[in-house]
Amino acid sequence: MVIASRRGHLLLGGAALVVALLPLVAGAYVLQLVSTALVMALFALSLQLLVGGTGLVSLGQAGFFGLGAYAVYFVQGKGAAASLLLTLPVAALLAGLAALAVGALALRTRGFFFLMTTLAFGQMLYFLIHDAPWAGGADGIFVQRPNFGLFGLDYVPARRDRPAVLLWTNLALLCAAYAGLVVVMRSLFGRMLQGIKENDHRMQALGHNTYAVKLVAFVLAGALAGVAGHQWAMTEAFVNPELLGWHRSAEALLMVLLGGLGALHGPLLGAFAFIGLNELAQLVTERQRLVEGLVILAAVLLLRDGLAGLRWRSRA
Amino acid sequence: MLGGFLAQLLNGVQYGLLLFLISSGLTLVFGVMGVINLAHGSLFMLGAYLAFAVTGAALPLWLALPLAVAGGAVLGGVLERTLFRRFRTREHLDQVLLTFALILLFEEARAALFGNDFHGVPVPAALDFSVPVFGGFAYSAYRVAVLLGCLGVAALLFWGIERTKLGSAVRAAAEKPEMLQLLGLDAQRLHTLVFAAGTALAMLAGALAAPLYSVFPGMGDGFLIISFVVVVVGGVGSIAGAFWAAMLIGLVDTLGKAYLPGVAGLAVYALMAGVLLWRPAGLFGRA
């Protein structure tokens, strides 16, 4: 996998700046849409660590995303809004622990089996939340947005400022996650992941415990998906079992493919392209599945290297 | 009590046989062609809606069965020739997304043709009675018919794969794809055939299942996931593995739902986790 060159990062930084300044000019609707796209970008980025980074195609990533979202509900229950400083770590921890359990089993398999196993365990998490009496019901439930409380000094944004604050929060977390993954992929650990992607057996022959390395990557990706899910709950103030459903996992894979498997920043482009296309489709037709299906067909038939395959990249 | 247990046991076997019809196609396509088909559940759904359309037109349900087989064979053949053939050598991710796109398109077609409501499909009048089982407990005659029908198809499939020349070619392809070329067999034709057969089986299963589960949007999803569990538990490309795993999962799921309703939803996944710990390649798979 490649990481964008210095010039590419300047462009990405510029794009982040434009997004950060959006609240000056855009209305609440656009801000909400961009907030959602930022959350999906974070979710797709977590999957890219597995797909592009390690060569593991997982179809259960939404399970961890949804658990992160439900963490908000589990922490506050029917009570008042909890602090982000509590809910966010809980979301990452919950999703990470689930990823540890799922990954420990699923990584005993390879290729198609890994795909099917992650899909099945992802659906298990879905049914767990869907059927559990303690999870708010099959139709979902409203949650209080986590606030920015610190030792009783709560900051609760005024209703008028909320879309901007949410956007900035999501943007900050996305930037932090991206920067973190750049560091991870450039580290020895990241190179081991690349080695496993190229040739797992050779890495084993070199004396690496590839199972453990892959498990660490799986847990890291799961925890990051949990953070993305948490931001979803914070942005929408609503959680439902569909967040864990495998269609969402497939959509995340689509964003990764749209953006390009070959580049760490691919999912960022892919998520924005996906949300943008969805929004366009809504304007044109009510048959969104038709549009989404045709877009995917076009992407797998025509767009082999994704949007990021186009330019400005350098070897990691 | 015992009669009730026997009825649940029969339910489990019947569900398991239905799962076998679905997952045998999945595991064959996958073993022979190396293609993962997420849209397999949608093919099952198509079969069920075919049965709904047939009975809706006041025609007898049994008419839907040959239609499902023939329609499935044609549809499968066309899908293989136009799409799946190109994706045999592509990345898993591409195959996943291609077949996910097919799910969306099939669901859209289903919504356009039949709407988004639940629909019951009546049990055929000739089979709309109960057979006494044991201790005064009666069991639906249609379920018995489905059970026997599935058993017949399973026997036919085993015979075809184990005893015919074509079947040995399928087994050779599942074991070592290169072998086919060496033996001078036409791999492309075999692929079309296997895919058509898998599609026909899935649609037949759907048509048989329609009166039991009624038809509804997204009904293929649940069966797809469970079929994956069957393939993982049974081992790839193994028909015998798919059979025993389907029976095991059918029984565990049905008995679990009847006697341990609190944890039943998780029982099959716990089973899968256990198999993965014990034999990661599946019960009948080679490591």
Side-chain angles (χ1 to χ4, degrees):
Chain A
M1 186 163 65
V2 294
I3 293 168
S5 62
R6 180 161 297 175
R7 178 142 172 270
H9 277 154
L10 274 176
L11 277 171
L12 285 175
L17 196 65
V18 170
V19 171
L21 294 177
L22 264 185
L24 296 180
V25 287
Y29 181 78
V30 172
L31 295 186
Q32 172 82 14
L33 193 66
V34 173
S35 279
T36 307
L38 290 168
V39 172
M40 294 323 279
L42 184 57
F43 178 35
L45 190 64
S46 80
L47 191 58
Q48 178 74 322
L49 177 64
L50 297 179
V51 179
T54 323
L56 293 168
V57 181
S58 166
L59 253 181
Q61 195 71 355
F64 312 128
F65 175 82
L67 279 184
Y70 269 88
V72 175
Y73 172 70
F74 294 149
V75 168
Q76 62 187 206
K78 290 189 173 58
S83 166
L84 184 73
L85 293 174
L86 177 63
T87 54
L88 194 58
V90 169
L93 193 69
L94 187 65
L97 282 176
L100 180 64
V102 171
L105 289 166
L107 285 168
R108 292 171 64 85
T109 65
R110 282 166 201 287
F112 285 125
F113 273 73
F114 178 76
L115 226 152
M116 292 195 266
T117 317
T118 48
L119 172 59
F121 281 128
Q123 284 306 96
M124 181 187 83
L125 294 175
Y126 165 81
F127 284 118
L128 188 68
I129 296 293
H130 187 274
D131 297 339
W134 38 262
D139 294 329
I141 191 158
F142 287 97
V143 295
Q144 307 272 350
R145 287 190 176 84
N147 59 32
F148 297 82
L150 180 62
F151 307 121
L153 294 168
D154 289 2
Y155 167 61
V156 182
R159 183 174 265 278
R160 192 165 47 87
D161 300 335
R162 195 195 285 146
V165 173
L166 283 174
L167 180 123
W168 286 328
T169 315
N170 292 345
L171 181 67
L173 281 168
L174 179 63
C175 289
Y178 178 78
L181 283 183
V182 168
V183 172
V184 164
M185 288 315 291
R186 281 186 176 151
S187 70
L188 177 63
F189 174 72
R191 286 175 197 261
M192 282 159 81
L193 295 183
Q194 287 293 289
I196 289 170
K197 187 187 177 191
E198 299 294 329
N199 192 329
D200 196 329
H201 288 298
R202 194 181 295 161
M203 289 299 284
Q204 281 178 26
L206 286 170
H208 294 293
N209 181 353
T210 60
Y211 175 80
V213 174
K214 285 189 281 189
L215 188 56
V216 172
F218 197 84
V219 171
L220 196 60
L224 203 53
V227 171
H230 176 276
Q231 289 315 111
W232 173 278
M234 189 166 167
T235 306
E236 303 285 329
F238 178 73
V239 293
N240 65 0
E242 299 310 318
L243 293 177
L244 296 90
W246 75 274
H247 280 231
R248 195 167 285 272
S249 297
E251 280 178 357
L253 279 177
L254 171 64
M255 292 177 223
V256 168
L257 182 94
L258 270 182
L261 294 174
L264 185 60
H265 63 274
L268 312 182
L269 310 181
F272 273 83
F274 178 78
I275 298 285
L277 281 172
N278 236 350
E279 197 63 19
L280 273 181
Q282 268 178 5
L283 293 177
V284 183
T285 169
E286 285 184 0
R287 302 206 177 284
Q288 277 176 60
R289 270 186 306 224
L290 182 68
V291 177
E292 197 183 334
L294 293 177
V295 165
I296 300 174
L297 273 186
V300 289
L301 288 171
L302 307 172
L303 196 74
R304 296 294 292 271
D305 281 326
L307 299 172
L310 302 176
R311 262 192 308 132
W312 41 275
R313 56 190 212 185
S314 69
R315 284 256 148 219
Chain B
M1 179 64 206
L2 198 54
F5 179 70
L6 202 60
Q8 292 297 348
L9 217 55
L10 278 173
N11 274 343
V13 170
Q14 175 256 307
Y15 179 48
L17 283 167
L18 205 59
L19 284 182
F20 170 68
L21 287 199
I22 306 169
S23 44
S24 58
L26 202 61
T27 199
L28 272 181
V29 163
F30 177 43
V32 172
M33 299 176 62
V35 169
I36 192 159
N37 183 11
L38 296 180
H40 205 69
S42 300
L43 302 171
F44 171 83
M45 176 188 78
L46 286 185
Y49 272 90
L50 182 70
F52 169 64
V54 165
T55 54
L59 294 167
L61 178 76
W62 61 261
L63 199 63
L65 305 182
L67 276 179
V69 173
V74 172
L75 177 66
V78 170
L79 283 176
E80 200 277 334
R81 291 260 156 151
T82 53
L83 280 177
F84 282 84
R85 174 160 297 180
R86 299 151 169 256
F87 278 77
R88 254 175 23 82
T89 51
R90 294 279 288 272
E91 301 273 338
H92 298 174
L93 179 64
D94 290 342
Q95 299 180 355
V96 164
L97 287 172
L98 169 77
T99 52
F100 180 64
L102 288 181
I103 292 181
L104 296 175
L105 296 178
F106 280 136
E107 284 287 336
E108 196 60 66
R110 192 256 321 128
L113 287 172
F114 300 102
N116 289 323
D117 295 327
F118 274 60
H119 294 287
V121 173
V123 170
L127 289 170
D128 199 6
F129 62 94
S130 299
V131 245
V133 179
F134 188 84
F137 209 90
Y139 194 69
S140 147
Y142 182 71
R143 277 180 186 270
V144 175
V146 169
L147 197 152
L148 294 176
C150 288
L151 262 184
V153 175
L156 202 67
L157 198 60
F158 270 107
W159 175 79
I161 291 205
E162 299 294 332
R163 291 279 182 272
T164 67
K165 211 158 180 188
L166 185 67
S168 61
V170 170
R171 275 181 290 142
E175 203 129 318
K176 261 201 184 329
E178 315 85 270
M179 267 320 268
L180 279 187
Q181 316 282 349
L182 288 174
L183 291 168
L185 293 167
D186 187 348
Q188 302 237 307
R189 243 184 62 202
L190 188 75
H191 291 157
T192 311
L193 203 82
V194 165
F195 202 89
T199 309
L201 280 170
M203 282 188 62
L204 176 67
L208 282 170
L212 299 176
Y213 303 100
S214 65
V215 298
F216 52 93
M219 68 182 291
D221 266 18
F223 280 92
L224 173 77
I225 310 288
I226 291 290
S227 298
F228 276 172
V229 176
V230 167
V231 173
V232 169
V233 168
V236 69
S238 162
I239 286 286
F243 182 81
W244 293 115
M247 296 309 285
L248 187 63
I249 284 166
L251 284 169
V252 165
D253 194 51
T254 308
L255 294 179
K257 279 190 176 125
Y259 296 105
L260 295 165
V263 295
L266 301 180
V268 289
Y269 300 104
L271 180 73
M272 181 172 89
V275 168
L276 284 174
L277 278 175
W278 178 44
R279 289 181 68 109
L283 293 178
F284 284 71
R286 280 152 308 156

